[in-house]
Amino acid sequence: MTSVQGTAVDIPTEDGVADAYLAHPGDGVPRPAVLLFQDAFGLRPQLKSMADRLAEAGYTVLVPNLFYRHGRAPVFELPAFIDPGARPELFKKIMPVMQALTPELAMRDAGAYLRWLADRPEVADAPVALTGYCMGARLSLLTAGTYPDRVAAAAGFHGGRLATEAPDSPHLVAEHITAELYFGHADEDPSLPPEQIERLATALTRAGVRHRCEVYAGAPHGFTQADTASYHHEADERHWAALLDLLKRTF
């Protein structure tokens, strides 16, 4: 097993400083970079452990605190295990912060994260890969379309609102994407109904984007997050297999 070094880092942005977690193999060799976009609960031990697992597979992984404008992580006081009973009160605090992160701000930040990675000695001189969870899946898609020259692959898991009828829906960037994409959708996810799944796949196909979109039967929204009641072990392991396969094909 590859030894992993994980450190806290700060990333300058146009609007301040984003705290983040950086994980990479401990051998000092520059590796392909993966930018990991958080779910709504934010940068926490669960996401750091996911970054470590990717680093063990041979990648340099950055997990920024996307909510840095509201404070350093943890932005919200989270229980060690997030059960359904905790969600209503948590989301009273989380939703306004999520809504304040507009697509324009998020893509401005994404540019800062990509520039920071390009200057790091732990990162190979090559385009990066993206992976995102819940709200992070939207940002993965948007970043692939906003910075096509910097992104070689992008994945999203249990994402919501990926292909709405809104004028700023993420799927509308499809025509700009040059990366290969993979999406693992949660089954019967109210944030991504069947019509949005179809609309996303149609947009990617029409734009000629190499992609695969799969629905994970029986998997709830949030199935990759082991510190929540939504965790689904079989779906999570399927996610890891799909993500690592995408990275191997890309790099």
Side-chain angles (χ1 to χ4, degrees):
M1 181 177 294
T2 303
S3 65
V4 169
Q5 292 183 0
T7 56
V9 297
D10 286 338
I11 303 172
T13 75
E14 293 183 39
D15 298 318
V17 176
D19 52 308
Y21 179 71
L22 182 72
H24 57 89
D27 57 10
V29 177
R31 303 299 182 102
V34 178
L35 176 56
L36 191 158
F37 289 119
Q38 67 180 53
D39 64 355
F41 297 120
L43 178 56
R44 61 195 192 283
Q46 164 63 21
L47 294 188
K48 293 179 181 180
S49 70
M50 295 174 74
D52 289 348
R53 183 165 174 175
L54 282 171
E56 287 176 357
Y59 303 98
T60 293
V61 187
L62 180 67
V63 191
N65 167 22
L66 303 182
F67 298 150
Y68 71 88
R69 292 176 179 83
H70 302 269
R72 298 180 71 86
V75 177
F76 313 106
E77 185 176 348
L78 300 172
F81 184 78
I82 304 169
D83 61 32
R87 285 176 176 264
E89 286 302 315
L90 277 175
F91 272 96
K92 286 181 182 179
K93 301 174 183 178
I94 292 173
M95 286 304 297
V97 175
M98 286 180 61
Q99 291 166 353
L101 185 64
T102 63
E104 291 78 14
L105 289 178
M107 290 304 96
R108 195 157 75 199
D109 290 344
Y113 305 146
L114 292 171
R115 288 191 296 273
W116 188 87
L117 282 169
D119 291 336
R120 294 295 297 191
E122 304 91 345
V123 175
D125 183 16
V128 309
L130 315 170
T131 185
Y133 303 86
C134 182
M135 60 171 277
R138 292 200 306 275
L139 299 185
S140 185
L141 178 57
L142 283 170
T143 303
T146 304
Y147 300 97
D149 293 342
R150 292 288 299 126
V151 179
F157 299 91
H158 49 83
R161 299 182 59 78
L162 297 176
T164 71
E165 295 181 349
D168 61 352
S169 177
H171 78 287
L172 297 176
V173 303
E175 63 181 316
H176 305 296
I177 293 173
T178 57
E180 181 177 351
L181 269 54
Y182 178 90
F183 286 96
H185 304 310
D187 191 20
E188 299 182 7
D189 185 347
S191 70
L192 193 74
E195 60 268 23
Q196 287 197 40
I197 293 175
E198 182 178 356
R199 188 179 294 134
L200 173 63
T202 298
L204 296 175
T205 299
R206 286 177 176 170
V209 177
R210 294 166 296 155
H211 71 279
R212 181 183 302 172
C213 297
E214 299 180 323
V215 177
Y216 289 21
H221 182 84
F223 59 77
T224 62
Q225 301 304 303
D227 60 348
T228 77
S230 299
Y231 182 68
H232 189 290
H233 176 74
E234 292 79 7
D236 183 37
E237 288 304 306
R238 181 177 174 183
H239 135 261
W240 280 112
L243 177 57
L244 291 172
D245 183 59
L246 175 67
L247 295 178
K248 289 176 183 177
R249 290 199 306 275
T250 304
F251 297 123

